[in-house]
Amino acid sequence: MTAEATPKPHLGRNIRHFRQENDLKQDELADLMGDPWTQKKISQLEAKAAIDDGILEQVARALKISVDDIKEYSNVPVVNYVQNNFEGSNTQAPNVNNLQCTFNPLDKVMEAHEDVKRLYEALLKEKDEKIALLNKMLGNKQG
């Protein structure tokens, strides 16, 4: 008795994945595949774990991918283990030694404040110039 190293892919789910990746609805995929395909048949197809190679070729052609892409796609989540940044079992207190800021956050806040101040002054100056121009234009018409 031997167990398979990797489970067989659910081909219907894989088709659904690639259809959704292409922003297609089931009826749109059915239209791309032509007669006799309908939205209902696409729905039934996506529910099947095993699909004939001939149908896979039609679907792959419509989605502009290879049959191997459909057969080999796996949506098994990948698990990443990240180093724990906490000391011991105490999850309340962070390990201060791991904090390595390369800038002072207050400096960044002050820079942003200065940028806003410069923009505000530029907008006020532009407003004053437009008011002066409008006054000049109105003065010419009234005079």
Side-chain angles (χ1 to χ4, degrees):
M1 183 169 96
T2 60
E4 287 185 15
T6 57
K8 288 185 178 181
H10 190 289
L11 297 178
R13 280 192 217 125
N14 292 356
I15 290 171
R16 178 177 49 224
H17 166 79
F18 287 108
R19 174 182 58 79
Q20 290 173 338
E21 196 174 78
N22 287 315
D23 291 326
L24 292 173
K25 295 185 178 182
Q26 289 177 337
D27 58 337
E28 294 170 328
L29 178 58
D31 289 342
L32 288 174
M33 292 179 63
D35 243 7
W37 290 97
T38 63
Q39 179 274 324
K40 184 177 180 179
K41 283 189 175 187
I42 297 295
S43 177
Q44 292 168 344
L45 181 69
E46 289 179 354
K48 291 183 179 181
I51 299 171
D52 294 336
D53 285 341
I55 294 174
L56 281 178
E57 287 176 20
Q58 290 178 357
V59 173
R61 201 174 317 115
L63 291 173
K64 296 182 172 107
I65 58 174
S66 72
V67 173
D68 289 337
D69 287 341
I70 296 172
K71 287 182 176 181
E72 295 173 7
Y73 175 75
S74 172
N75 63 349
V76 176
V78 176
V79 178
N80 291 325
Y81 292 98
V82 180
Q83 178 184 0
N84 192 345
N85 288 328
F86 298 101
E87 291 183 38
S89 63
N90 181 2
T91 59
Q92 299 299 318
N95 183 351
V96 177
N97 296 334
N98 285 340
L99 298 176
Q100 299 174 358
C101 244
T102 58
F103 61 89
N104 184 348
L106 290 177
D107 288 342
K108 294 294 182 185
V109 169
M110 292 306 297
E111 286 175 21
H113 177 72
E114 291 299 320
D115 288 345
V116 168
K117 204 164 126 180
R118 275 194 298 275
L119 287 171
Y120 180 72
E121 290 168 358
L123 287 172
L124 283 178
K125 181 180 176 185
E126 185 179 339
K127 179 195 76 151
D128 291 341
E129 289 171 356
K130 286 184 179 181
I131 289 173
L133 180 63
L134 285 172
N135 284 335
K136 183 179 175 183
M137 291 170 66
L138 287 173
N140 288 343
K141 286 187 179 182
Q142 292 175 356

